Amino acid sequence: MSSLNDKVALVTGAAQGIGRAIAQTLAERGADVVIADLQVEKAETTASEIAASTGRRAIAVKVDVADSSSAKEMIDRQDPGPRRNEHRVADVHPPLPTDDRKLADET
């Protein structure tokens, strides 16, 4: 498997769950990670924990991927410089229905 050293990975929905696991794995393989999530406090905790456990740089960025201006701001907030974001992972899904409807009824 190729090394991700000196690469930057931006993972949306990374404060918890599958997105967090993806960000953790990318960091373990050498990437610096951007933990992008609407829940910025959880994202900050996740970034700190990933940085501590992997020795890689991890930063938290608040983003609402349903809002194009928020997504643009997320990209703009990344550090400028010779390295660019080379890996993007979106872990975004709509909330499940909260009533008795079946998912099939949503279509």
Side-chain angles (χ1 to χ4, degrees):
M1 188 168 304
S2 66
S3 170
L4 296 176
N5 287 337
D6 298 321
K7 306 288 186 194
V8 178
L10 185 151
V11 184
T12 61
Q16 60 190 3
I18 294 170
R20 179 188 173 116
I22 291 167
Q24 177 76 38
T25 300
L26 292 168
E28 288 170 356
R29 294 189 179 159
D32 291 337
V33 292
V34 178
I35 308 300
D37 204 288
L38 188 56
Q39 301 177 68
V40 72
E41 295 84 11
K42 285 185 179 182
E44 289 168 348
T45 299
T46 296
S48 294
E49 292 172 353
I50 288 175
S53 69
T54 65
R56 301 305 307 176
R57 185 166 177 253
I59 62 169
V61 176
K62 182 175 182 174
V63 65
D64 179 356
V65 296
D67 176 1
S68 61
S69 64
S70 178
K72 181 181 181 326
E73 182 180 331
M74 169 188 64
I75 298 296
D76 292 345
R77 286 190 55 197
Q78 293 183 61
D79 289 348
R83 298 187 322 163
R84 69 177 199 278
N85 179 280
E86 299 188 14
H87 301 281
R88 294 184 184 123
V89 180
D91 176 37
V92 180
H93 53 83
L96 294 175
T98 56
D99 59 19
D100 291 334
R101 294 177 291 162
K102 302 270 188 261
L103 286 177
D105 295 338
E106 294 293 308
T107 58

